[in-house]
Amino acid sequence: DAKTTQPPSMDCAEGRAANLPCNHSTISGNEYVYWYRQIHSQGPQYIIHGLKNNETNEMASLIITEDRKSSTLILPHATLRDTAVYYCIVRVASSGGSNYKLTFGKGTLLTVNP
Amino acid sequence: NAGVMQNPRHLVRRRGQEARLRCSPMKGHSHVYWYRQLPEEGLKFMVYLQKENIIDESGMPKERFSAEFPKEGPSILRIQQVVRGDSAAYFCASSPRTGGESDTQYFGPGTRLTVL
């Protein structure tokens, strides 16, 4: 799986949009971008994933650049409860191989301030 | 729709005892994965199981650790003769199948093992 690079920490004001960047310059054509977050002492929570197109769900939006070498997770209206470590993971979503192993890096600690 | 369930949430053992961690996957999910998170570190893959089969245990320590996912009942991660270095958070995840977008893994709340 391709490696990812994320800033170690970011701050965001409550109610504002949080934009979390991720670089994955070695991503392959069949690799998806997944985002998880881990609120302190809890299990990782799946947020969203995408391949090429931008994606949106009830939690967040995922913007993937046209060359797919980077992406941004957007939390449109951050709340205090969004304070967490956010992980960007790329993985092959196809049968075979060991694509099921999620590789968690250090992620980005997002702190939402009142 | 219940999520992935793990129990116990907290487990304290003395050195040399056995620890048994349980994981019930989400309804309809037949694939289970165990990950370990040591203090101040990221999650590391340990083992991948399907019902009655261990598919990949490449992340498991060679000794004292074992996992199973029987036909009936939860998946069990068993640690024999625990040592202080086993103190960690153990997370279980499940997915409906492997391969393709539908194999998104959903995690449980974890079991925090403390070895005294």
Side-chain angles (χ1 to χ4, degrees), chain B residues 14-25:
Chain B
R14 297 189 181 279
R15 281 178 297 171
Q17 291 184 320
E18 179 180 286
R20 284 191 177 223
L21 290 63
R22 294 174 184 77
C23 169
S24 295

Side-chain angles (χ1 to χ4, degrees), chain A residues 35-92:
Chain A
W35 284 83
Y36 284 81
R37 72 180 182 183
Q38 188 174 25
I39 297 170
H40 181 62
S41 297
Q42 298 183 23
Q45 179 186 22
Y46 166 77
I47 301 173
I48 198 167
H49 73 278
L51 182 63
K52 288 190 263 192
N53 300 320
N54 298 336
E55 301 287 345
T56 296
N57 63 19
E58 65 279 2
M59 288 184 69
S61 294
L62 174 60
I63 308 298
I64 303 173
T65 58
E66 192 169 343
D67 63 7
R68 305 210 321 120
K69 292 185 177 182
S70 66
S71 59
T72 301
L73 178 74
I74 300 173
L75 307 179
H77 305 286
T79 71
L80 299 179
R81 289 177 295 180
D82 291 322
T83 292
V85 177
Y86 287 76
Y87 298 98
C88 170
I89 299 168
V90 294
R91 57 181 292 228
V92 176

Side-chain angles (χ1 to χ4, degrees), chain A residues 32 34 36 38 41-46 49 87 91-95 98-105, chain B residues 9 33 35 37 42-45 48 55-56 58 91 98-101 103-109 112:
Chain A
Y32 283 74
Y34 279 77
Y36 284 81
Q38 188 174 25
S41 297
Q42 298 183 23
Q45 179 186 22
Y46 166 77
H49 73 278
Y87 298 98
R91 57 181 292 228
V92 176
S94 62
S95 58
S98 58
N99 57 295
Y100 43 79
K101 293 183 187 177
L102 295 179
T103 301
F104 288 82
Chain B
R9 296 291 304 277
Y33 316 81
Y35 292 79
Q37 187 171 33
L43 281 83
K44 296 285 194 290
F45 169 83
Y48 161 39
I55 306 302
D56 182 352
S58 60
F91 294 100
T98 193
E101 290 187 73
D103 67 343
T104 297
Q105 294 178 27
Y106 296 89
F107 285 80
R112 274 146 194 83

